[in-house]
Short mmCIF file of all heavy atoms in Angstrom, two decimals:
data_model
loop_
_atom_site.label_atom_id
_atom_site.label_comp_id
_atom_site.label_asym_id
_atom_site.label_seq_id
_atom_site.Cartn_x
_atom_site.Cartn_y
_atom_site.Cartn_z
N GLU A 1 -3.67 6.16 -3.56
CA GLU A 1 -4.68 5.99 -2.51
C GLU A 1 -6.09 6.00 -3.08
O GLU A 1 -6.95 5.22 -2.66
CB GLU A 1 -4.49 7.06 -1.44
CG GLU A 1 -3.15 6.91 -0.72
CD GLU A 1 -3.04 7.81 0.50
OE1 GLU A 1 -3.88 7.70 1.39
OE2 GLU A 1 -2.10 8.63 0.54
N GLU A 2 -6.35 6.85 -4.07
CA GLU A 2 -7.67 6.85 -4.70
C GLU A 2 -7.88 5.57 -5.51
O GLU A 2 -8.96 4.96 -5.48
CB GLU A 2 -7.83 8.07 -5.61
CG GLU A 2 -9.21 8.18 -6.24
CD GLU A 2 -9.38 9.41 -7.11
OE1 GLU A 2 -8.38 10.11 -7.36
OE2 GLU A 2 -10.52 9.67 -7.55
N LEU A 3 -6.84 5.15 -6.20
CA LEU A 3 -6.92 3.96 -7.04
C LEU A 3 -7.25 2.71 -6.23
O LEU A 3 -8.00 1.84 -6.68
CB LEU A 3 -5.58 3.78 -7.77
CG LEU A 3 -5.51 2.84 -8.97
CD1 LEU A 3 -6.52 3.21 -10.03
CD2 LEU A 3 -4.10 2.86 -9.54
N LEU A 4 -6.73 2.63 -5.02
CA LEU A 4 -6.95 1.44 -4.19
C LEU A 4 -8.42 1.20 -3.89
O LEU A 4 -8.82 0.07 -3.58
CB LEU A 4 -6.16 1.55 -2.88
CG LEU A 4 -4.66 1.25 -3.00
CD1 LEU A 4 -3.94 1.64 -1.72
CD2 LEU A 4 -4.44 -0.23 -3.32
N GLY A 5 -9.23 2.22 -3.98
CA GLY A 5 -10.66 2.06 -3.76
C GLY A 5 -11.35 1.25 -4.83
O GLY A 5 -12.52 0.87 -4.67
N TYR A 6 -10.64 0.97 -5.92
CA TYR A 6 -11.23 0.22 -7.04
C TYR A 6 -10.41 -1.03 -7.38
O TYR A 6 -10.57 -1.59 -8.46
CB TYR A 6 -11.32 1.13 -8.28
CG TYR A 6 -12.12 2.38 -8.03
CD1 TYR A 6 -11.49 3.56 -7.65
CD2 TYR A 6 -13.51 2.38 -8.13
CE1 TYR A 6 -12.21 4.71 -7.39
CE2 TYR A 6 -14.24 3.53 -7.88
CZ TYR A 6 -13.59 4.69 -7.51
OH TYR A 6 -14.32 5.82 -7.25
N ILE A 7 -9.59 -1.47 -6.44
CA ILE A 7 -8.68 -2.59 -6.70
C ILE A 7 -9.09 -3.83 -5.90
O ILE A 7 -9.35 -3.75 -4.70
CB ILE A 7 -7.23 -2.20 -6.34
CG1 ILE A 7 -6.76 -1.05 -7.24
CG2 ILE A 7 -6.30 -3.40 -6.44
CD1 ILE A 7 -6.74 -1.38 -8.72
N ASP A 8 -9.15 -4.97 -6.59
CA ASP A 8 -9.47 -6.24 -5.94
C ASP A 8 -8.23 -6.92 -5.37
O ASP A 8 -8.27 -7.49 -4.28
CB ASP A 8 -10.14 -7.18 -6.94
CG ASP A 8 -11.47 -6.65 -7.46
OD1 ASP A 8 -12.28 -6.20 -6.63
OD2 ASP A 8 -11.68 -6.68 -8.69
N VAL A 9 -7.13 -6.88 -6.14
CA VAL A 9 -5.90 -7.56 -5.75
C VAL A 9 -4.77 -6.52 -5.77
O VAL A 9 -4.37 -6.06 -6.84
CB VAL A 9 -5.56 -8.72 -6.69
CG1 VAL A 9 -4.28 -9.42 -6.25
CG2 VAL A 9 -6.72 -9.71 -6.76
N ALA A 10 -4.28 -6.15 -4.60
CA ALA A 10 -3.20 -5.17 -4.50
C ALA A 10 -1.96 -5.86 -3.96
O ALA A 10 -1.96 -6.34 -2.83
CB ALA A 10 -3.60 -4.01 -3.59
N VAL A 11 -0.92 -5.92 -4.79
CA VAL A 11 0.35 -6.51 -4.38
C VAL A 11 1.38 -5.40 -4.41
O VAL A 11 1.72 -4.88 -5.48
CB VAL A 11 0.76 -7.67 -5.30
CG1 VAL A 11 2.09 -8.27 -4.85
CG2 VAL A 11 -0.32 -8.75 -5.31
N VAL A 12 1.87 -5.02 -3.24
CA VAL A 12 2.71 -3.83 -3.12
C VAL A 12 4.10 -4.20 -2.61
O VAL A 12 4.30 -5.27 -2.05
CB VAL A 12 2.06 -2.77 -2.20
CG1 VAL A 12 0.62 -2.51 -2.61
CG2 VAL A 12 2.13 -3.19 -0.74
N ALA A 13 5.03 -3.30 -2.82
CA ALA A 13 6.42 -3.52 -2.39
C ALA A 13 6.66 -2.89 -1.02
O ALA A 13 5.91 -2.02 -0.58
CB ALA A 13 7.37 -2.92 -3.42
N GLU A 14 7.74 -3.33 -0.38
CA GLU A 14 8.13 -2.73 0.90
C GLU A 14 8.36 -1.22 0.76
O GLU A 14 8.16 -0.47 1.70
CB GLU A 14 9.41 -3.39 1.42
CG GLU A 14 9.17 -4.62 2.26
CD GLU A 14 10.42 -5.08 2.96
OE1 GLU A 14 11.32 -5.59 2.27
OE2 GLU A 14 10.51 -4.92 4.20
N ARG A 15 8.80 -0.81 -0.42
CA ARG A 15 9.05 0.61 -0.65
C ARG A 15 7.79 1.43 -0.41
O ARG A 15 7.85 2.52 0.17
CB ARG A 15 9.55 0.81 -2.08
CG ARG A 15 9.79 2.27 -2.47
CD ARG A 15 10.54 2.36 -3.78
NE ARG A 15 10.61 3.71 -4.28
CZ ARG A 15 9.95 4.16 -5.34
NH1 ARG A 15 9.16 3.35 -6.02
NH2 ARG A 15 10.07 5.40 -5.74
N LEU A 16 6.63 0.93 -0.83
CA LEU A 16 5.39 1.65 -0.59
C LEU A 16 5.10 1.73 0.90
O LEU A 16 4.63 2.76 1.40
CB LEU A 16 4.23 0.99 -1.34
CG LEU A 16 2.87 1.69 -1.18
CD1 LEU A 16 2.91 3.09 -1.78
CD2 LEU A 16 1.75 0.87 -1.83
N CYS A 17 5.37 0.65 1.63
CA CYS A 17 5.19 0.67 3.09
C CYS A 17 6.04 1.78 3.71
O CYS A 17 5.55 2.54 4.56
CB CYS A 17 5.60 -0.67 3.70
SG CYS A 17 4.66 -2.10 3.11
N GLU A 18 7.28 1.88 3.27
CA GLU A 18 8.19 2.90 3.81
C GLU A 18 7.68 4.30 3.47
O GLU A 18 7.69 5.21 4.33
CB GLU A 18 9.59 2.69 3.24
CG GLU A 18 10.24 1.40 3.71
CD GLU A 18 11.45 1.02 2.89
OE1 GLU A 18 11.76 1.76 1.93
OE2 GLU A 18 12.07 -0.02 3.18
N GLN A 19 7.22 4.49 2.24
CA GLN A 19 6.74 5.81 1.82
C GLN A 19 5.50 6.22 2.59
O GLN A 19 5.29 7.41 2.86
CB GLN A 19 6.47 5.81 0.32
CG GLN A 19 7.73 5.73 -0.53
CD GLN A 19 7.42 5.54 -2.00
OE1 GLN A 19 6.47 4.86 -2.37
NE2 GLN A 19 8.22 6.16 -2.86
N MET A 20 4.66 5.26 2.96
CA MET A 20 3.44 5.55 3.70
C MET A 20 3.61 5.41 5.21
O MET A 20 2.64 5.54 5.96
CB MET A 20 2.30 4.65 3.19
CG MET A 20 1.93 4.90 1.74
SD MET A 20 0.53 3.89 1.15
CE MET A 20 -0.81 4.53 2.17
N GLU A 21 4.87 5.12 5.62
CA GLU A 21 5.21 4.98 7.04
C GLU A 21 4.34 3.93 7.73
O GLU A 21 3.81 4.13 8.82
CB GLU A 21 5.11 6.34 7.75
CG GLU A 21 6.07 7.38 7.18
CD GLU A 21 6.01 8.70 7.92
OE1 GLU A 21 5.06 8.92 8.68
OE2 GLU A 21 6.94 9.52 7.74
N LEU A 22 4.24 2.77 7.07
CA LEU A 22 3.52 1.63 7.60
C LEU A 22 4.44 0.42 7.62
O LEU A 22 5.29 0.27 6.75
CB LEU A 22 2.30 1.31 6.73
CG LEU A 22 1.20 2.36 6.60
CD1 LEU A 22 0.17 1.92 5.57
CD2 LEU A 22 0.53 2.60 7.95
N THR A 23 4.28 -0.43 8.61
CA THR A 23 4.96 -1.72 8.57
C THR A 23 4.25 -2.59 7.54
O THR A 23 3.10 -2.31 7.16
CB THR A 23 4.91 -2.41 9.93
OG1 THR A 23 3.55 -2.76 10.23
CG2 THR A 23 5.48 -1.52 11.03
N PRO A 24 4.90 -3.66 7.06
CA PRO A 24 4.19 -4.56 6.14
C PRO A 24 2.88 -5.08 6.71
O PRO A 24 1.87 -5.16 5.99
CB PRO A 24 5.21 -5.68 5.91
CG PRO A 24 6.53 -4.98 6.02
CD PRO A 24 6.33 -3.99 7.14
N ALA A 25 2.85 -5.42 7.98
CA ALA A 25 1.61 -5.91 8.59
C ALA A 25 0.54 -4.81 8.61
O ALA A 25 -0.65 -5.07 8.35
CB ALA A 25 1.87 -6.41 10.01
N GLU A 26 0.95 -3.60 8.92
CA GLU A 26 0.01 -2.48 8.91
C GLU A 26 -0.49 -2.20 7.50
O GLU A 26 -1.65 -1.81 7.30
CB GLU A 26 0.67 -1.23 9.49
CG GLU A 26 0.91 -1.31 10.99
CD GLU A 26 1.80 -0.19 11.50
OE1 GLU A 26 2.52 0.46 10.69
OE2 GLU A 26 1.78 0.05 12.73
N MET A 27 0.37 -2.40 6.50
CA MET A 27 -0.05 -2.21 5.12
C MET A 27 -1.14 -3.20 4.75
O MET A 27 -2.12 -2.84 4.08
CB MET A 27 1.15 -2.37 4.18
CG MET A 27 0.78 -2.28 2.69
SD MET A 27 0.01 -0.71 2.19
CE MET A 27 1.46 0.35 2.15
N LEU A 28 -1.01 -4.46 5.19
CA LEU A 28 -2.05 -5.44 4.91
C LEU A 28 -3.39 -5.00 5.50
O LEU A 28 -4.44 -5.10 4.85
CB LEU A 28 -1.67 -6.81 5.46
CG LEU A 28 -0.47 -7.51 4.83
CD1 LEU A 28 -0.32 -8.92 5.42
CD2 LEU A 28 -0.59 -7.58 3.32
#
């Protein structure tokens, strides 16, 4: 979560969505 503050292009897996309890659309 801290790292994302310095990222231009974030390509994540569905697994991260599940771990953060977000749908893929919510993750976007």
Side-chain angles (χ1 to χ4, degrees):
E1 296 189 58
E2 183 178 9
L3 196 56
L4 282 169
Y6 303 94
I7 297 299
D8 297 313
V9 181
V11 180
V12 310
E14 272 191 288
R15 177 169 171 251
L16 181 63
C17 300
E18 293 165 359
Q19 290 172 324
M20 296 183 65
E21 299 182 345
L22 298 173
T23 66
E26 290 169 341
M27 176 60 76
L28 294 186

